[in-house]
Amino acid sequence: MNTKNIRLSVLDQSPIRKGVTAEQAVKETIELAKYTDQLGYTRFWVSEHHNTGSLAGSTPEVLMAHLAGQTKNIRIGSGGVMMPNHSALKVAENFRMLEALFPGRIDLGMGRAPGTDRLTASMLNPSNQFREQDFIEQLYDLNNFFHDRGEPGTPMAKIRAIPQVQTVPAMWLLSSSGESGIFAAHFGMGLSFAHFINPNGGPEAVAAYRARFQPSEDLPEAKANLAIFVFCSEDEEKIFQHQALMDYRFTQFEKGAGIVPVGYDDIKDVIYSDAEQGRILHNRKRVITGTPAQMKQKLTKLAEDYQVDEIVCVTITESFEDRLTSYRLLAKQFLS
């Protein structure tokens, strides 16, 4: 695969670094969106997480409106809106408003997990039953709202998502297991596989999605990408420290201890059990780190494995400057 044909995008979760406020984390997301727009990245997605002290991204539809106004060419999207927390009508109206403001630049990425713990999810949507059928019905309703249609004789026929605009956001389903890929194929939506959550089964899930894809009025051909944690640096010591921090974050998360902002000096002397070391080896498959030349080789191989031409990069670093540098170095390898 020609590296010049690989497009790069961003998934940013507004990480709260050690010693930094949530307000500053959001400002860093804004600065990163402007920067990657200038570098030639394809899209910039922001996430929906709740009840966590390490990520400030909770309301992608709000942040997207500001980001789209601060950028020029890059597509702005959600990675994603967690549908169990919302009604299909409200999501449709949020994204129709975004389309009214920025027609042709908006991506609606959707997930069927709540993006939080069950208690918080029940507070966000007290009627949430966590049923697969509810998610399918939401996708069906969403399509109808975006196209101003409903089954005659049903309440849906009497409801319109406001504002009624001519364009429809590009719809993507996020998947870490492959099951949502089947839904994406059925509804004719794009598929983004979360390799940064689950490093196993992604290429097979994307292949199954392509095989089952049914063209829709919004997407005539299958479209897929993958998202992965990445870090690129010319400094080998920074690469080592970054991997150590990621090892620690994954371990803490899997213990149920929560993720708090930490620096390398806080965790450099941590000793892991044999079981934890086994999990660290597994979780390292969720991350690709290296020098620019190494990253070019590794990411090209990953794109070939998935048979996709777009990689969504997720980068959380101890210093914001290192985050910017990583995206700049990757752009030089693939986009210049």
Side-chain angles (χ1 to χ4, degrees):
M1 183 179 291
N2 187 338
T3 56
K4 297 301 182 184
N5 294 331
I6 296 177
R7 295 172 297 144
L8 298 180
S9 293
V10 181
L11 168 59
D12 193 73
Q13 303 164 320
S14 300
I16 302 173
R17 299 181 293 107
K18 184 181 179 182
V20 167
T21 63
E23 292 90 341
Q24 183 60 35
V26 172
K27 289 178 180 177
E28 289 175 356
T29 291
I30 297 166
E31 185 174 340
L32 182 61
K34 293 179 182 178
Y35 190 60
T36 51
D37 184 25
Q38 295 169 358
L39 289 172
Y41 280 70
T42 297
R43 63 188 94 247
F44 192 99
W45 285 356
V46 289
S47 64
E48 178 182 341
H49 289 93
H50 304 280
N51 198 29
T52 172
S54 61
L55 303 173
S58 61
T59 53
E61 57 281 291
V62 175
L63 187 52
M64 285 172 60
H66 185 74
L67 294 177
Q70 294 287 309
T71 53
K72 295 180 180 179
N73 300 309
I74 198 167
R75 296 187 65 90
I76 300 296
S78 56
V81 167
M82 297 297 131
M83 294 298 289
N85 303 334
H86 310 277
S87 74
L89 176 58
K90 187 55 180 172
V91 172
E93 292 196 328
N94 284 340
F95 278 78
R96 276 197 145 181
M97 180 59 76
L98 287 167
E99 277 291 331
L101 294 169
F102 309 100
R105 283 186 60 206
I106 300 300
D107 291 339
L108 169 53
M110 295 168 280
R112 64 180 183 135
T116 187
D117 57 88
R118 283 294 178 103
L119 176 61
T120 306
S122 68
M123 296 292 285
L124 285 162
N125 179 7
S127 64
N128 187 1
Q129 299 295 311
F130 298 97
R131 295 188 311 169
E132 181 180 284
Q133 187 59 34
D134 291 340
F135 181 62
I136 295 171
E137 290 174 5
Q138 282 186 304
L139 297 178
Y140 182 75
D141 290 345
L142 200 62
N143 256 320
N144 285 339
F145 285 133
F146 281 139
H147 295 97
D148 295 309
R149 65 188 176 216
E151 291 291 336
T154 69
M156 289 288 293
K158 301 178 181 179
I159 301 171
R160 293 291 177 264
I162 302 302
Q164 290 178 272
V165 295
Q166 300 303 309
T167 55
V168 175
M171 287 180 276
W172 294 76
L173 290 191
L174 316 181
S175 180
S176 60
S177 67
E179 191 167 358
S180 287
I182 304 305
F183 303 150
H186 174 78
F187 284 99
M189 299 176 179
L191 173 66
S192 182
F193 191 87
H195 190 105
F196 73 101
I197 295 175
N198 177 16
N200 298 321
E204 294 80 6
V206 170
Y209 157 75
R210 293 189 189 281
R212 296 177 182 225
F213 184 81
Q214 299 178 31
S216 64
E217 55 201 300
D218 303 311
L219 189 64
E221 296 181 350
K223 182 182 290 188
N225 64 34
L226 71 97
I228 184 168
F229 284 117
V230 301
F231 178 65
C232 184
S233 176
E234 293 172 325
D235 185 332
E236 294 278 5
E237 180 60 25
K238 283 187 177 181
I239 295 169
F240 172 81
Q241 292 185 11
H242 177 83
Q243 185 63 68
L245 275 167
M246 296 300 288
D247 293 343
Y248 179 80
R249 290 188 185 109
F250 291 144
T251 303
Q252 290 300 105
F253 182 77
E254 291 186 349
K255 282 181 177 179
I259 303 176
V260 296
V262 293
Y264 176 71
D265 286 342
D266 300 318
I267 59 93
K268 63 182 181 181
D269 297 323
V270 172
I271 298 174
Y272 298 104
S273 68
D274 290 345
E276 287 172 336
Q277 288 174 355
R279 291 304 301 167
I280 284 171
L281 289 176
H282 168 79
N283 284 321
R284 284 188 176 183
K285 299 174 187 175
R286 300 161 59 184
V287 187
I288 289 184
T289 64
T291 63
Q294 291 168 342
M295 294 299 287
K296 184 173 185 178
Q297 182 180 19
K298 292 176 181 179
L299 290 178
T300 300
K301 173 66 165 58
L302 189 66
E304 289 173 347
D305 290 344
Y306 273 81
Q307 287 297 291
V308 298
D309 63 359
E310 180 183 0
I311 296 174
V312 183
C313 303
V314 192
T315 302
I316 298 176
T317 55
E318 187 172 357
S319 98
F320 182 55
E321 188 59 40
D322 286 344
R323 193 150 133 235
L324 295 176
T325 298
S326 179
Y327 282 108
R328 175 179 57 80
L329 293 174
L330 289 175
K332 191 173 182 180
Q333 291 296 317
F334 290 95
L335 307 179
S336 59

